[in-house]
């Protein structure tokens, strides 16, 4: 008789980035596509998602610049960076279902990001999500000695939240962001971008197509 796998009892949720709750990546990719078109480079949306997902703004700007066979102005990166931040300021919003999910949460949750605290708080305030997070529930690698993406950061966050790794679920949107967390006892849920589903499943993550599915998977609401 096949033994049924019992779902873990989760007492705390760790979101591995504020961007996992927001439409940050959609806006950044849209700006990059527009800029590419200005220079005569047409990139299909699926290709853009594959090229620019799971990377920061700086990396994506360099990635786009390297795709051009022509020289670009000296202020190319500066202007593109300004455009991205301008679009984020005016178009940033919570992903579909996120606000409702957070309102229904019955377990503590926190967010861990590699961006400065002021930027995280600004993004959450702009999207009316900041009130869901107390200051001690926002963790940034900028305030930690080791800023590389590894399980140590999640261990520190779990400890400060008052829980053991096996009581926590990490919600990650990149393979890098999920590095080694399973080995430390965390339960891992991977938010796929449509191209990394097999990789997510391959490292042992439960794959989510949309963040709003989390409530159903964990029955935490």
């Amino acid at each position: 008789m096949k033994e049924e796998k019992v779902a873990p009892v989760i007492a705390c949720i760790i979101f591995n980035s504020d961007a996992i709750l927001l439409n940050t990546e959609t806006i950044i990719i849209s700006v990059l596509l527009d800029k590419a078109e200005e220079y005569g480079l047409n990139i299909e949306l699926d290709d853009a998602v594959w090229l620019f997902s799971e990377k920061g703004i700086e990396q994506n700007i360099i990635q786009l610049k390297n795709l051009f066979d022509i020289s670009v102005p000296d202020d190319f990166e500066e202007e593109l960076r300004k455009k991205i931040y301008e679009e984020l300021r005016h178009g940033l919003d919570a992903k579909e279902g996120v606000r409702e999910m957070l309102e229904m949460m019955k377990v503590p949750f926190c967010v861990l990001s590699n961006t400065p605290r002021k930027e995280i708080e600004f993004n959450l305030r702009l999207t009316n999500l900041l009130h869901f997070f107390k200051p001690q529930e926002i963790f940034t690698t900028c305030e930690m000695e080791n800023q590389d993406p590894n399980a140590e950061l999640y261990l520190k966050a779990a400890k400060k939240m008052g829980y053991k790794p096996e009581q926590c679920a990490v919600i990650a949107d990149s393979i890098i962001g999920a590095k080694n967390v399973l080995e430390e006892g965390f339960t891992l849920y991977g938010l796929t971008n449509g191209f990394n589903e097999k990789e997510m499943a391959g490292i042992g993550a439960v794959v989510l197509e949309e963040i709003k599915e989390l409530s159903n998977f964990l029955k935490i609401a």
Side-chain angles (χ1 to χ4, degrees):
M1 183 176 178
K2 188 176 180 180
E3 183 179 350
E4 288 189 15
K5 188 175 181 180
V6 180
V9 177
I10 300 301
C12 181
I13 305 293
I14 301 175
F15 296 106
N16 87 318
S17 169
D18 55 320
I20 205 169
L21 303 171
L22 310 174
N23 64 341
T24 311
E25 192 167 88
T26 301
I27 292 174
I28 292 174
I29 290 176
S30 176
V31 174
L32 293 172
L33 283 173
D34 288 344
K35 181 58 69 172
E37 192 171 345
E38 283 183 26
Y39 284 83
L41 182 62
N42 294 313
I43 305 174
E44 295 294 330
L45 180 58
D46 284 353
D47 293 333
V49 173
W50 181 79
L51 283 167
F52 303 122
S53 292
E54 300 192 9
K55 300 179 181 69
I57 292 176
E58 299 297 328
Q59 288 178 293
N60 276 328
I61 290 175
I62 294 172
Q63 177 100 332
L64 178 61
K65 188 176 180 181
N66 290 339
L67 291 174
F68 294 129
D69 290 329
I70 58 173
S71 60
V72 295
D74 293 338
D75 63 350
F76 175 85
E77 293 184 25
E78 182 182 354
E79 289 301 315
L80 184 51
R81 195 177 296 110
K82 285 181 180 179
K83 181 62 176 177
I84 288 174
Y85 282 115
E86 178 184 342
E87 292 299 318
L88 286 173
R89 182 179 291 270
H90 291 95
L92 195 64
D93 200 358
K95 290 181 179 177
E96 183 183 355
V98 164
R99 192 170 288 103
E100 293 79 5
M101 180 188 71
L102 295 180
E103 287 174 347
M104 294 171 63
M105 284 278 200
K106 295 179 180 178
V107 297
F109 52 89
C110 62
V111 61
L112 173 63
S113 181
N114 61 0
T115 55
R117 176 175 292 272
K118 286 185 178 180
E119 187 173 327
I120 301 170
E121 291 178 346
F122 176 83
N123 290 342
L124 294 176
R125 184 181 297 109
L126 186 66
T127 53
N128 295 317
L129 296 183
L130 184 59
H131 67 281
F132 288 112
F133 298 90
K134 298 175 183 176
Q136 62 269 29
E137 294 168 346
I138 297 175
F139 301 93
T140 169
T141 58
C142 298
E143 298 173 358
M144 299 178 178
E145 290 183 8
N146 187 351
Q147 297 184 18
D148 293 328
N150 58 50
E152 181 183 350
L153 306 179
Y154 297 102
L155 290 170
K156 288 183 178 180
K159 184 176 181 180
K160 289 186 178 181
M161 290 293 290
Y163 296 94
K164 297 178 181 179
E166 56 268 26
Q167 295 176 291
C168 301
V170 170
I171 319 303
D173 60 353
S174 70
I175 303 300
I176 294 177
K179 186 179 179 181
N180 301 330
V181 299
L182 287 168
E183 296 174 11
E184 297 294 343
F186 292 95
T187 299
L188 177 62
Y189 287 78
L191 183 64
T192 178
N193 59 18
F195 292 90
N196 61 2
E197 184 174 351
K198 288 185 178 179
E199 290 179 290
M200 285 285 191
I203 63 173
V206 178
V207 178
L208 305 175
E209 291 187 3
E210 296 181 306
I211 188 64
K212 63 181 181 180
E213 296 175 12
L214 183 61
S215 301
N216 297 329
F217 273 88
L218 295 181
K219 302 188 187 309
I220 51 179

